Amino acid sequence: MAPSTPGSPSGTDGAPARGVAWHALPAGVALERLGSGEQGLTDEQARERLSRHGPNVLERQKREGPLTLLWRQVNSPFIWVLIVSSVLAVLMGKVTDGLVVAVVVVLNTLIGFAQEFRAGKAIEALSRMVPETATVVRGARKVVPAAELVPGDVVSLAAGDKVPADMRLLSSRNLQVEEAALTGESVPSAKQAAPVAEDAELGDRTSLVFGGTLVTSGAALAVVVATGGDTELGRINALLGEATDLQTPLTKALGVIAKVITVAILAVSLLLLGVGLWRGYPVSEAVVVAITLAVAAIPEGLPAIVTIALAIGVQRMAARRAVIRKLPAVETLGSTTVICSDKTGTLTRNEMTVQALWTPSARYSLTGVGYAPRGALCRGEQLVGPVLLPDDARELLLAGALCNDASLRGEDGAWEMTGDPTEGALVVAAEKAGLHVEAERGVHPRLDAIPFESENQFMATLHDDGRGGRLLLLKGAPEVVMRRCVARPGVSHEVVATEVERLARQGMRVLAVASRRLSGTHASVALEDVEAGLELLGLEGMLDPPREEAIAAVRACHEAGIVVKMMTGDHLATAEAIGASLGLHAPGTKGLPGARLEAMDDAELNEVAECTNVFARVAPEHKLRLVRALQARRHVVAMTGDGVNDAPALKQANIGVAMGITGTAVSKEAADVVLTDDNFASIAAAVEEGRRVYDNLIKSLAFVLPTNLGLALILLFGVAFFPIQDFGGGREPLMAMLPTQLLWINLVATVSLALPLAFEARESDIMRRGPRHPDEPVLSHFVVMRTGLVALLMAAGGIGLFLWEYSHELMHVGHARALAEAQTMAVNTVISFQIFYMVMCRTLTGSLRKVGLFSNPTVFMGIGMLVLLQLAFMYVPFMREVFGTAPLSLEAIGLSVLVGVVVVPVVGLEKWLRGRGDGRPVAPPRREENKSSAGPRERLPA
């Protein structure tokens, strides 16, 4: 809800005024505006408002039906050409050829349909965040379905409840709400009924509670101010609908290739049809030749090769803790130029940890102690300690652990923390100092307590000091505690305030701890006991520390030319300090708060998004705008996160990465990748794997395309120059290959040989290159030139051996047998070229010695499998009948192998001339350097 003037008009009929700043209104005024009271609504009022406002549910956006998904698979240039070719072949009497082409179409369509049918469940996951029931006050307290809540309903909240709608607090006691999934805050937010400033950002609106969040402690009464789509959760739901699924760089590039190849095939097929008719071909034969050219030139196996190569990448990424939900995400990771990351739980541990102590006599840094966070303790890691500290520091830590409701329990090295994360950090710190907290609590039993109230900003406990007296302990906000402490030499308010500011600049949350000795007659503690006379023990500074592996991962990303930006709902000072410790920007560099982003137009935001690496207090729409701004600057954006507030940006980003452990169901459903270990370092590993996949896909493409062009050239040459002869009373042109034989080469042989390239290991410099430009064509000058060179060699070898075999056998056998043997010879020759050229494609520009001849055993498995299939193609009667082949002699087979091996020295010479044998890949187009204060160190040629 956007802030507005608290006095803006609104009726009293229960219709919440759009834009009303409910957090800035006194509770009584909010009730009046909503036409409600402390006893809530009547049942009749609730029914009337429900009919007017609708149920408290999130609208589910309509998903695409199966027919729509199926049509999208069919509606592509390649598929349409194949469908037309299949129909024409059947009409011309070539039923077998037509059916084989039809089977290819069906298989490709089913594979694509199966991939897409499993996507698109983010909205359903959001709707599951709304609880099923709520306790309302309608004259008397009653439990009603949460879907029936309406504006003006008064709701009772208790610890463990999921908040059912956006509500204005009327009263509260010790209320703390976990809002990390919505705001990004790493600790529960203390809530109170008092109004806050009208311009307060979402995370600072302490008088409001939001639907979908969780009450961790305390109790409250609140009035509903927004339901369903009008809630903050509903707003995110709408943003998810606005976010668009983008094509990946590879899918866009392959789409362009498909259109170019399709147009070229249609043009050449029509030209070939005209040439055939001009040369005297019968109409049916001229049409069949044109169809054959289309079948030859279309890389039917390419979709299967791409899909299987990406699937292999999925398996390898899963082994590196990154689960891929959408296949194209594998390749997109490799082209990422910017990673936008949430802070809490992604770059940091999502565990508060004491980092520094201050006592009136000294400062103590605990950053190197190695505190185990709560999550780590649950996984069975042992506590590391004890840490040797002086008495004053130990006294401070003991007081913080006694004035505390959290507990650390476990045995045999397996520990579990229960309670508030901030209090848990104090307990862990004491344990690390060698203080056995539970034992100390037995020595100093608690007699009474004043629980933490957000209005008071402190907690006080009374303990038996073990010597017949009483020990009063107080912990809370430093300014609140200091007002109650007696002055001591060297411990003035100014000295303490300076130290608090120093720790705050490092992003720490600071608590002050004080004590007071009381007589043994005190059995309870009252507010007047903590008004004055306390002695300051010191300060404890804590923060949610960066993951150590995240620091190394950020450095690896920078070396790979990838900029890392942090977007968090936390406070600006905390975000800046964490950003500096992670290496996102230089120490002292300023970040930007969400309030500043709100006032920027798109042009200004685009510039800021490029130059700033830390953004704090950002709302979901800010993250969405920042991702779009970076995409407008031609960046390929990966967005990481774990909360509901991250979901719209996760969906909008080119690649969405969700946390598998702490991530909400909404973030996981909106993402393309889920990290099973919540480790930012796994993103760097996934980027490396994505680059390897892309490299290998380019190798596969460079291998596949020469075959299609070579086959097309063989047919073109035949139509233009082969004689048309009379056989059996009809004129019949010579054809070097039948349509079914072309499909055998395109699907069986090509796929068998291209797939081993997907298993090639990564190049040694893959993470020292800059990201490739999103506009970089897949069909680069290098790939086009290589395709033309190999295609000419393949066509020359295939045509030459076809003519040699046909003329040689025609003297001994009839035309039909001679033609079948010659066509089989041409197929064998092309496949021999493919085998040797595939080996040369294992590295596109370097020597084969660079990768090692036997480093990829699947190469030889693929060759062996194809050899067996080719033997069946020539010698199994059923196969000969389907494909129109004939058995060849060993002499003929050996001749085709000798011709095929010619590609090795020719391509080797081309590699040497192009790269002088150093194995350096061709440099991609260079992107303008990011101007942020920290980022890629250099962009090496890829």
Side-chain angles (χ1 to χ4, degrees):
M1 291 166 285
S4 70
T5 304
S8 59
S10 170
T12 58
D13 61 351
R18 295 282 183 181
V20 172
W22 296 105
H23 54 280
L25 294 176
V29 175
L31 279 172
E32 183 181 349
R33 291 284 182 87
L34 291 161
S36 184
E38 293 183 359
Q39 294 303 308
L41 305 173
T42 65
D43 290 336
E44 183 179 351
Q45 286 176 312
R47 283 194 296 270
E48 189 274 331
R49 294 186 184 190
L50 184 62
S51 65
R52 186 149 39 94
H53 296 291
N56 177 37
V57 294
L58 298 181
E59 181 181 355
R60 297 190 181 188
Q61 298 185 5
K62 187 176 180 180
R63 294 181 60 191
E64 293 178 321
L67 292 179
T68 303
L69 296 178
L70 195 61
W71 171 252
R72 186 154 59 238
Q73 313 312 315
V74 175
N75 192 24
S76 73
F78 282 172
I79 297 298
W80 280 119
V81 172
L82 289 175
I83 290 174
V84 173
S85 300
S86 176
V87 172
L88 287 176
V90 173
L91 293 177
M92 294 297 171
K94 306 288 185 178
V95 178
T96 301
D97 295 343
L99 291 179
V100 171
V101 176
V103 169
V104 174
V105 171
V106 171
L107 288 176
N108 276 333
T109 301
L110 291 178
I111 290 172
F113 175 80
Q115 290 174 20
E116 288 203 36
F117 190 69
R118 301 171 60 186
K121 297 181 180 178
I123 305 301
E124 285 84 345
L126 261 175
S127 65
R128 289 196 293 270
M129 294 194 67
V130 178
E132 295 181 357
T133 61
T135 302
V136 300
V137 179
R138 293 180 180 170
R141 296 199 177 200
K142 60 177 64 177
V143 177
V144 301
E148 295 181 6
L149 287 181
V150 294
D153 260 328
V154 175
V155 177
S156 173
L157 295 173
D161 286 348
K162 189 172 284 186
V163 179
D166 286 3
M167 298 188 285
R168 172 66 170 86
L169 292 174
L170 303 176
S171 62
S172 67
R173 179 169 180 81
N174 301 331
L175 185 66
Q176 300 228 5
V177 180
E178 174 61 66
E179 296 181 329
L182 192 65
T183 67
E185 285 276 14
S186 54
V187 296
S189 299
K191 298 290 185 175
Q192 59 184 2
V196 296
E198 183 183 340
D199 61 354
E201 298 176 42
L202 186 69
D204 296 322
R205 298 176 187 177
T206 55
S207 58
L208 294 179
V209 289
F210 302 104
T213 59
L214 180 69
V215 178
T216 58
S217 63
L221 276 179
V223 60
V224 175
V225 298
T227 59
D230 294 327
T231 63
E232 288 295 322
L233 205 61
R235 189 165 56 84
I236 294 175
N237 184 43
L239 290 174
L240 266 174
E242 294 175 12
T244 55
D245 285 321
L246 303 177
Q247 281 189 303
T248 72
L250 179 66
T251 54
K252 285 194 291 186
L254 292 177
V256 171
I257 292 173
K259 291 178 182 177
V260 171
I261 291 178
T262 301
V263 171
I265 288 170
L266 291 176
V268 176
S269 295
L270 291 175
L271 176 64
L272 194 65
L273 179 62
V275 172
L277 293 174
W278 175 73
R279 290 201 61 208
Y281 277 51
V283 174
S284 61
E285 292 295 338
V287 172
V288 168
V289 168
I291 292 172
T292 303
L293 177 80
V295 172
I298 290 178
E300 293 93 346
L302 188 58
I305 291 168
V306 171
T307 299
I308 295 172
L310 293 176
I312 292 169
V314 167
Q315 292 179 342
R316 294 174 66 109
M317 285 188 178
R320 303 184 77 168
R321 311 279 185 186
V323 176
I324 307 297
R325 298 185 64 247
K326 301 173 185 176
L327 274 184
V330 178
E331 177 273 332
T332 312
L333 274 168
S335 59
T336 298
T337 61
V338 175
I339 298 177
C340 299
S341 178
D342 184 31
K343 175 183 74 70
T344 305
T346 308
L347 292 168
T348 63
R349 298 174 179 173
N350 196 19
E351 299 290 343
M352 294 301 290
T353 307
V354 175
Q355 300 282 299
L357 303 178
W358 178 87
T359 67
S361 61
R363 292 173 178 164
Y364 305 96
S365 174
L366 304 182
T367 55
V369 171
Y371 288 99
R374 180 178 60 188
L377 294 172
C378 293
R379 291 195 294 269
E381 294 187 13
Q382 293 187 346
L383 291 169
V384 181
V387 179
L388 299 178
L389 292 172
D391 290 343
D392 58 346
R394 292 170 64 84
E395 184 181 6
L396 170 62
L397 288 171
L398 177 59
L402 292 176
C403 187
N404 196 310
D405 290 326
S407 60
L408 181 68
R409 301 182 184 279
E411 57 186 15
D412 298 329
W415 299 85
E416 182 177 358
M417 181 67 68
T418 58
D420 178 80
T422 300
E423 292 198 317
L426 302 180
V427 173
V428 171
E431 289 279 356
K432 293 299 180 63
L435 298 169
H436 300 292
V437 174
E438 291 303 320
E440 294 289 350
R441 287 174 176 175
V443 175
H444 306 286
R446 181 188 296 187
L447 304 177
D448 196 16
I450 300 176
F452 177 85
E453 292 275 4
S454 53
E455 292 86 351
N456 297 331
Q457 294 188 312
F458 68 78
M459 173 184 182
T461 54
L462 181 67
H463 300 265
D464 187 332
D465 67 0
R467 299 193 297 266
R470 299 290 185 261
L471 179 64
L472 176 63
L473 299 176
L474 183 79
K475 81 171 189 302
E479 64 275 13
V480 174
V481 174
M482 279 303 298
R483 287 200 302 266
R484 292 163 166 77
C485 292
V486 297
R488 292 191 338 186
V491 195
S492 65
H493 284 237
E494 291 75 15
V495 169
V496 177
T498 300
E499 186 63 25
V500 170
E501 183 180 356
R502 184 186 71 84
L503 294 173
R505 281 198 304 269
Q506 299 176 42
M508 295 190 195
R509 182 180 184 184
V510 184
L511 290 179
V513 182
S515 67
R516 179 185 176 187
R517 296 286 176 178
L518 299 175
S519 68
T521 59
H522 277 77
S524 62
V525 58
L527 285 175
E528 53 266 25
D529 295 324
V530 296
E531 287 301 318
L534 284 91
E535 177 183 348
L536 181 68
L537 297 179
L539 305 173
E540 296 196 49
M542 63 195 74
L543 54 73
D544 182 10
R547 293 175 178 263
E548 293 178 6
E549 60 273 20
I551 298 173
V554 168
R555 188 183 309 114
C557 287
H558 287 171
E559 290 176 351
I562 301 170
V563 180
V564 181
K565 296 178 184 290
M566 183 171 71
M567 300 176 184
T568 178
D570 225 327
H571 292 281
L572 181 60
T574 302
E576 289 172 342
I578 294 293
S581 65
L582 285 164
L584 302 184
H585 60 195
T589 303
K590 296 297 183 182
L592 275 179
R596 288 272 304 279
L597 300 177
E598 192 81 37
M600 294 179 182
D601 59 23
D602 288 344
E604 188 178 1
L605 184 68
N606 288 356
E607 185 65 30
V608 165
E610 180 82 21
C611 301
T612 306
N613 285 352
V614 172
F615 300 91
R617 279 302 196 214
V618 289
E621 61 268 26
H622 298 149
K623 296 183 179 184
L624 190 60
R625 285 190 69 200
L626 285 167
V627 169
R628 286 174 172 165
L630 290 166
Q631 289 170 337
R633 298 292 291 258
R634 308 298 301 139
H635 282 289
V636 177
V637 182
M639 174 73 194
T640 76
D642 58 359
V644 178
N645 60 331
D646 299 316
L650 286 172
K651 184 179 178 184
Q652 175 66 37
N654 301 85
I655 182 81
V657 183
M659 302 297 111
I661 299 174
T662 59
T664 60
V666 181
S667 64
K668 294 175 189 175
E669 291 293 344
D672 306 288
V673 180
V674 178
L675 302 183
T676 59
D677 59 354
D678 284 16
N679 191 338
F680 186 86
S682 296
I683 300 174
V687 168
E688 178 182 277
E689 190 62 30
R691 291 189 175 189
R692 186 197 65 82
V693 168
Y694 182 79
D695 269 9
N696 292 344
L697 281 174
I698 294 298
K699 293 174 184 177
S700 298
L701 196 65
F703 165 73
V704 169
L705 293 182
T707 297
N708 297 106
L709 180 57
L711 294 177
L713 291 175
I714 290 173
L715 288 176
L716 283 170
F717 185 88
V719 172
F721 299 107
F722 284 2
I724 304 173
Q725 298 174 318
D726 292 318
F727 296 102
R731 291 174 59 80
E732 181 181 335
L734 281 181
M735 292 184 64
M737 293 182 196
L738 299 174
T740 51
Q741 294 171 349
L742 294 170
L743 282 173
W744 172 267
I745 295 174
N746 277 344
L747 289 176
V748 178
T750 302
V751 172
S752 297
L753 295 175
L755 287 183
L757 294 175
F759 290 91
E760 284 296 328
R762 64 181 178 87
E763 303 281 350
S764 59
D765 64 343
I766 202 167
M767 286 300 282
R768 295 195 300 274
R769 310 174 191 169
R772 76 179 186 280
H773 196 284
D775 294 331
E776 178 189 350
V778 172
L779 287 180
S780 62
H781 176 75
F782 158 71
V783 174
V784 171
M785 295 298 293
R786 172 70 66 78
T787 297
L789 173 65
V790 177
L792 286 171
L793 282 174
M794 188 178 293
I799 292 169
L801 286 189
F802 169 80
L803 293 174
W804 183 87
E805 183 73 13
Y806 178 71
S807 60
H808 180 268
E809 291 300 319
L810 191 60
M811 295 183 296
H812 305 93
V813 298
H815 161 73
R817 175 64 183 271
L819 181 61
E821 290 189 8
Q823 289 172 337
T824 307
M825 186 73 160
V827 172
N828 265 14
T829 304
V830 169
I831 289 178
S832 295
F833 268 101
Q834 286 186 303
I835 290 174
F836 292 110
Y837 179 54
M838 183 270 284
V839 174
M840 298 300 291
C841 282
R842 293 181 59 194
T843 171
L844 290 181
T845 56
S847 168
L848 193 57
R849 292 192 301 271
K850 176 184 175 183
V851 296
L853 183 62
F854 300 103
S855 60
N856 183 4
T858 58
V859 166
F860 302 99
M861 292 171 59
I863 293 173
M865 182 181 299
L866 179 57
V867 168
L868 293 176
L869 290 171
Q870 193 62 19
L871 290 174
F873 178 78
M874 291 185 290
Y875 298 111
V876 174
F878 167 75
M879 299 286 281
R880 295 206 307 265
E881 184 177 346
V882 172
F883 292 99
T885 58
L888 296 180
S889 65
L890 289 177
E891 178 187 3
I893 294 175
L895 187 59
S896 64
V897 172
L898 283 176
V899 172
V901 82
V902 171
V903 76
V904 174
V906 173
V907 172
L909 177 62
E910 182 260 354
K911 286 184 181 182
W912 183 83
L913 291 174
R914 180 178 296 275
R916 294 292 187 267
D918 64 356
R920 298 290 300 174
V922 180
R926 293 178 66 84
R927 163 192 298 282
E928 179 183 354
E929 284 294 336
N930 184 281
K931 300 174 183 176
S932 25
S933 53
R937 298 178 181 177
E938 59 178 335
R939 297 288 178 89
L940 298 176

Coordinates of all heavy atoms in Angstrom, one line a residue, residues 824-851:
T824 N 24.4 -46.4 -51.4 CA 24.9 -46.9 -50.2 C 26.3 -46.4 -50.0 O 26.8 -46.1 -48.9 CB 24.8 -48.5 -50.1 OG1 23.5 -48.9 -50.3 CG2 25.3 -49.0 -48.7
M825 N 27.1 -46.5 -51.1 CA 28.5 -46.0 -51.1 C 28.5 -44.5 -50.7 O 29.4 -44.1 -49.9 CB 29.1 -46.2 -52.4 CG 30.6 -45.9 -52.5 SD 31.6 -47.1 -51.7 CE 33.2 -46.8 -52.4
A826 N 27.6 -43.7 -51.2 CA 27.6 -42.3 -50.9 C 27.3 -42.0 -49.5 O 27.9 -41.2 -48.8 CB 26.5 -41.6 -51.8
V827 N 26.3 -42.8 -48.9 CA 26.0 -42.7 -47.5 C 27.2 -43.1 -46.6 O 27.5 -42.4 -45.7 CB 24.8 -43.6 -47.2 CG1 24.5 -43.6 -45.6 CG2 23.5 -43.1 -47.9
N828 N 27.9 -44.2 -47.0 CA 29.0 -44.6 -46.2 C 30.1 -43.5 -46.2 O 30.8 -43.2 -45.2 CB 29.6 -45.9 -46.8 CG 29.1 -47.1 -46.1 OD1 28.1 -47.0 -45.3 ND2 29.7 -48.2 -46.3
T829 N 30.3 -42.9 -47.4 CA 31.3 -41.8 -47.5 C 31.0 -40.6 -46.6 O 31.9 -40.1 -45.9 CB 31.5 -41.4 -49.0 OG1 31.7 -42.5 -49.8 CG2 32.6 -40.4 -49.1
V830 N 29.8 -40.2 -46.7 CA 29.3 -39.1 -45.8 C 29.5 -39.4 -44.3 O 30.1 -38.6 -43.5 CB 27.9 -38.7 -46.1 CG1 27.4 -37.7 -45.0 CG2 27.8 -38.1 -47.5
I831 N 29.2 -40.6 -43.9 CA 29.3 -41.0 -42.5 C 30.8 -41.1 -42.1 O 31.2 -40.8 -41.0 CB 28.5 -42.3 -42.3 CG1 27.0 -42.0 -42.3 CG2 28.9 -42.9 -40.9 CD1 26.2 -43.2 -42.1
S832 N 31.6 -41.6 -43.1 CA 33.1 -41.6 -42.8 C 33.6 -40.2 -42.5 O 34.4 -39.9 -41.6 CB 33.8 -42.2 -44.0 OG 33.5 -43.6 -44.1
F833 N 33.2 -39.2 -43.4 CA 33.5 -37.8 -43.2 C 33.1 -37.4 -41.8 O 33.8 -36.7 -41.0 CB 32.9 -36.9 -44.2 CG 33.7 -36.7 -45.4 CD1 33.5 -37.4 -46.6 CD2 34.8 -35.8 -45.4 CE1 34.3 -37.2 -47.7 CE2 35.6 -35.5 -46.5 CZ 35.4 -36.2 -47.6
Q834 N 31.8 -37.7 -41.4 CA 31.3 -37.3 -40.1 C 32.1 -37.9 -38.9 O 32.4 -37.1 -38.0 CB 29.8 -37.8 -40.0 CG 28.8 -37.1 -40.8 CD 27.4 -37.5 -40.5 OE1 27.1 -38.7 -40.6 NE2 26.6 -36.6 -40.1
I835 N 32.5 -39.1 -39.0 CA 33.3 -39.7 -37.9 C 34.6 -39.0 -37.7 O 34.9 -38.6 -36.6 CB 33.5 -41.2 -38.2 CG1 32.2 -42.0 -38.1 CG2 34.6 -41.8 -37.2 CD1 32.3 -43.5 -38.5
F836 N 35.3 -38.8 -38.8 CA 36.6 -38.1 -38.6 C 36.5 -36.6 -38.3 O 37.3 -36.1 -37.5 CB 37.5 -38.3 -39.9 CG 37.9 -39.7 -40.1 CD1 37.4 -40.5 -41.1 CD2 38.8 -40.3 -39.3 CE1 37.7 -41.8 -41.3 CE2 39.2 -41.6 -39.4 CZ 38.7 -42.4 -40.5
Y837 N 35.5 -36.0 -38.8 CA 35.3 -34.6 -38.5 C 34.8 -34.4 -37.1 O 35.2 -33.4 -36.4 CB 34.3 -34.0 -39.5 CG 34.0 -32.5 -39.2 CD1 35.0 -31.6 -39.1 CD2 32.7 -32.1 -39.0 CE1 34.8 -30.2 -38.9 CE2 32.4 -30.7 -38.8 CZ 33.4 -29.8 -38.7 OH 33.2 -28.5 -38.5
M838 N 34.0 -35.3 -36.5 CA 33.6 -35.2 -35.1 C 34.7 -35.2 -34.2 O 34.8 -34.5 -33.2 CB 32.6 -36.4 -34.8 CG 32.0 -36.3 -33.4 SD 33.0 -37.2 -32.2 CE 32.6 -38.9 -32.6
V839 N 35.7 -36.1 -34.5 CA 36.9 -36.1 -33.7 C 37.7 -34.8 -33.7 O 38.1 -34.3 -32.7 CB 37.9 -37.3 -34.1 CG1 39.2 -37.2 -33.3 CG2 37.2 -38.6 -33.9
M840 N 37.7 -34.1 -34.9 CA 38.3 -32.8 -35.0 C 37.5 -31.7 -34.3 O 38.1 -30.7 -33.9 CB 38.5 -32.5 -36.5 CG 39.4 -33.4 -37.2 SD 41.1 -33.5 -36.6 CE 41.7 -31.9 -37.0
C841 N 36.2 -31.9 -34.1 CA 35.4 -30.9 -33.4 C 35.5 -31.0 -31.9 O 34.9 -30.1 -31.2 CB 33.9 -31.1 -33.8 SG 33.5 -30.5 -35.5
R842 N 36.2 -31.9 -31.3 CA 36.4 -31.9 -29.9 C 37.0 -30.7 -29.4 O 36.8 -30.3 -28.2 CB 37.2 -33.2 -29.5 CG 36.4 -34.5 -29.8 CD 37.2 -35.7 -29.3 NE 37.5 -35.6 -27.9 CZ 38.4 -36.4 -27.3 NH1 39.1 -37.3 -28.0 NH2 38.6 -36.3 -26.0
T843 N 37.8 -30.0 -30.2 CA 38.3 -28.6 -29.9 C 38.2 -27.9 -31.2 O 38.8 -28.4 -32.2 CB 39.7 -28.6 -29.3 OG1 40.1 -27.2 -29.2 CG2 40.7 -29.4 -30.1
L844 N 37.5 -26.8 -31.2 CA 37.2 -26.1 -32.5 C 38.4 -25.5 -33.2 O 38.5 -25.4 -34.4 CB 36.1 -25.1 -32.3 CG 34.7 -25.7 -32.0 CD1 33.7 -24.6 -31.9 CD2 34.3 -26.7 -33.1
T845 N 39.3 -24.9 -32.3 CA 40.4 -24.2 -32.9 C 41.8 -24.7 -32.5 O 42.8 -24.2 -33.0 CB 40.3 -22.7 -32.6 OG1 40.3 -22.6 -31.1 CG2 39.1 -22.1 -33.2
G846 N 41.8 -25.6 -31.5 CA 43.1 -26.1 -31.0 C 43.5 -27.5 -31.5 O 42.7 -28.2 -32.2
S847 N 44.7 -27.9 -31.2 CA 45.1 -29.2 -31.5 C 44.4 -30.3 -30.7 O 44.1 -30.0 -29.5 CB 46.6 -29.3 -31.4 OG 47.0 -30.7 -31.4
L848 N 44.2 -31.4 -31.3 CA 43.6 -32.5 -30.5 C 44.4 -32.9 -29.3 O 43.9 -33.4 -28.3 CB 43.3 -33.7 -31.4 CG 42.4 -34.8 -30.9 CD1 41.1 -34.3 -30.6 CD2 42.3 -35.9 -31.9
R849 N 45.7 -32.7 -29.4 CA 46.6 -33.0 -28.2 C 46.2 -32.1 -27.0 O 46.5 -32.6 -25.9 CB 48.0 -32.7 -28.6 CG 48.6 -33.6 -29.6 CD 50.1 -33.4 -29.7 NE 50.5 -32.1 -30.1 CZ 50.6 -31.6 -31.3 NH1 50.4 -32.4 -32.3 NH2 50.9 -30.3 -31.5
K850 N 45.6 -31.0 -27.2 CA 45.2 -30.1 -26.1 C 44.2 -30.8 -25.2 O 44.2 -30.7 -24.0 CB 44.6 -28.8 -26.7 CG 44.1 -27.9 -25.6 CD 43.5 -26.6 -26.2 CE 42.9 -25.7 -25.2 NZ 42.2 -24.6 -25.7
V851 N 43.2 -31.5 -25.8 CA 42.2 -32.1 -25.0 C 42.5 -33.6 -24.7 O 41.9 -34.2 -23.7 CB 40.8 -32.1 -25.7 CG1 40.4 -30.6 -25.9 CG2 40.8 -32.7 -27.0

